Amino acid sequence: MKHLLGLEDLSKEEILQLLEKGNGFRQWLDCEYLSTRTALSDLKGRKICLLFYEPSTRTRHSFEIAGRLLGADVSSFTIAVSSVQKGESFKDTLLTLESMGFELFVIRHSSSGACLYASSHLKRAKVVNAGDGMHEHPTQTLLDLLTIFREKGKVEGMKIAIVGDILHSRVARSAIHAFSKLNWDIRLCAPPTLLPAKIEKFPVKLFYNLEDAIKGVDVIYMLRIQRERQKEQFFPSIEEYSRLFGLTHLHKSLAPHAMIMHPGPVNRGVEMEGAVVDCEDSFILEQVRNGVAIRMAVLHSLLGEEEWTC
Ligand code: CP
């Protein structure tokens, strides 16, 4: 891989290779690292820049931890105290930082396509998409797949209901690309106003009723209402949305063996009842744990096998 811009670009084999590597790093984290507390040196001296133009807790910090566990030098670029505030463009910011020796940029941006744009302007450095607008969030889906694999023992041919604000969700787009390559039965459930135009062209089944959507699935994947991306009113009220599409403990009997997942951050009481967030079938914190391992796998795959030469 030269870059990781989205899962649409990866083959099934490439996705499975990243999962295998991520699972290996998860085992290393749970055993060897836990007892020795000694980082690896595979990326010793390599320079990684975290360039986040949007807020993040999970993605930003897990990339930072992942890079350091591999021995890399990781710098976090803070937009609020950078020359972006003096009008410096995205392109000039990238080229400036690349000139300082950064070899890989982990980028989160509000514009769909920002990572592709970055990859086409950087001379040598690699790009990892940490979420670009409404386009893709590839490492989120990879960590979700690792979480499913570690619980169910397989990642092919299962049944998932993705519920919520699919229209604005880059997580849903990456999930649809990956799960369809793995022959999943993909159900999307949302009010019609929160489904993208031409969604019927994707290999998915549409549901407008939560109970019908989740019946008998292996995974219930809840999404946050992305109010920061909504430029108009998509439903009458949060209360009505929550009543029709919010997951509660009463739904559990419809899919008794389902893993309950959410990319985070969760708005408790909106898309999910607080008790469901904390219940034993909820894998939300396990997803976060696997985030470090999968991001180690991605950084290692992009930087681990190639030396940077001037
Ligand atoms: N899931 C996810 O991307 O979370 P953050 O916004 O906290 O990184």
Side-chain angles (χ1 to χ4, degrees):
M1 283 193 303
K2 167 83 170 113
H3 307 284
L4 178 60
L5 303 179
L7 297 185
E8 186 176 11
D9 311 325
L10 294 197
S11 67
K12 173 179 159 182
E13 289 67 34
E14 286 170 317
I15 291 172
L16 294 177
Q17 276 168 16
L18 282 170
L19 290 182
E20 192 179 339
K21 202 166 192 174
N23 198 35
F25 281 124
R26 176 63 204 259
Q27 284 162 1
W28 174 81
L29 284 166
D30 288 349
C31 302
E32 209 170 315
Y33 181 70
L34 207 59
S35 59
T36 64
R37 298 284 173 189
T38 306
L40 300 170
S41 56
D42 298 46
L43 299 190
K44 192 168 184 321
R46 313 302 297 272
K47 289 187 174 55
I48 295 172
C49 183
L50 308 182
L51 196 53
F52 277 57
Y53 281 74
E54 271 192 352
S56 165
T57 298
R58 280 150 282 269
T59 313
R60 181 178 182 140
H61 289 283
S62 58
F63 265 115
E64 185 165 347
I65 293 167
R68 296 213 166 120
L69 285 171
L70 289 165
D73 296 333
V74 185
S75 295
S76 227
F77 181 84
T78 309
I79 304 297
V81 291
S82 74
S83 288
V84 171
Q85 302 305 325
K86 300 177 200 163
E88 191 158 42
S89 71
F90 183 45
K91 177 180 165 182
D92 287 336
T93 301
L94 287 163
L95 294 178
T96 300
L97 292 167
E98 186 179 38
S99 300
M100 294 175 194
F102 285 109
E103 301 163 64
L104 184 145
F105 290 90
V106 177
I107 300 176
R108 172 167 290 188
H109 203 285
S110 56
S111 296
S112 306
C115 295
L116 176 64
Y117 176 87
S119 69
S120 67
H121 284 90
L122 288 162
K123 292 178 174 58
R124 290 283 314 278
K126 301 183 173 199
V127 174
V128 176
N129 183 354
D132 63 332
M134 301 191 302
H135 173 227
E136 279 218 43
H137 191 351
T139 58
Q140 178 66 48
T141 295
L142 291 171
L143 72 87
D144 293 336
L145 279 168
L146 180 57
T147 307
I148 293 163
F149 172 73
R150 290 177 63 81
E151 176 62 17
K152 301 277 190 190
K154 59 175 187 169
V155 284
E156 295 198 49
M158 292 200 275
K159 202 177 282 184
I160 188 168
I162 304 175
V163 183
D165 185 357
I166 290 152
L167 176 64
H168 300 98
S169 176
R170 53 197 176 208
V171 173
R173 276 173 188 73
S174 285
I176 292 167
H177 287 308
F179 294 145
S180 58
K181 286 172 201 209
L182 296 166
N183 302 314
W184 282 59
D185 176 351
I186 308 169
R187 302 171 173 195
L188 302 183
C189 179
T193 50
L194 287 179
L195 287 168
K198 300 190 179 153
I199 188 67
E200 60 283 351
K201 295 204 160 105
F202 288 84
V204 297
K205 294 176 188 148
L206 302 182
F207 290 77
Y208 305 103
N209 175 288
L210 179 62
E211 287 75 21
D212 292 343
I214 65 175
K215 213 169 280 173
V217 296
D218 300 297
V219 180
I220 301 173
Y221 199 99
M222 303 304 293
L223 295 172
R224 183 172 64 86
I225 293 291
Q226 303 202 27
R227 277 181 264 196
E228 72 276 21
R229 291 189 214 290
Q230 295 184 1
K231 295 186 173 57
E232 53 188 280
Q233 185 92 14
F234 287 89
F235 42 80
S237 70
I238 282 286
E239 290 73 25
E240 183 175 306
Y241 175 84
S242 186
R243 187 165 47 78
L244 295 175
F245 294 95
L247 192 71
T248 74
H249 65 284
L250 298 173
H251 292 113
K252 284 182 69 175
S253 61
L254 294 169
H257 306 297
M259 299 171 69
I260 297 171
M261 300 176 70
H262 190 302
V266 177
N267 286 148
R268 285 176 185 251
V270 179
E271 65 269 18
M272 285 171 91
E273 190 181 52
V276 178
V277 176
D278 301 324
C279 76
E280 60 181 16
D281 295 323
S282 165
F283 285 77
I284 296 171
L285 294 179
E286 189 60 12
Q287 288 171 266
V288 176
R289 279 183 209 104
N290 286 324
V292 174
I294 216 70
R295 284 160 182 144
M296 286 179 81
V298 167
L299 295 178
H300 194 276
S301 297
L302 284 167
L303 283 184
E305 285 121 32
E306 189 193 312
E307 279 303 315
W308 179 266
T309 47
C310 295

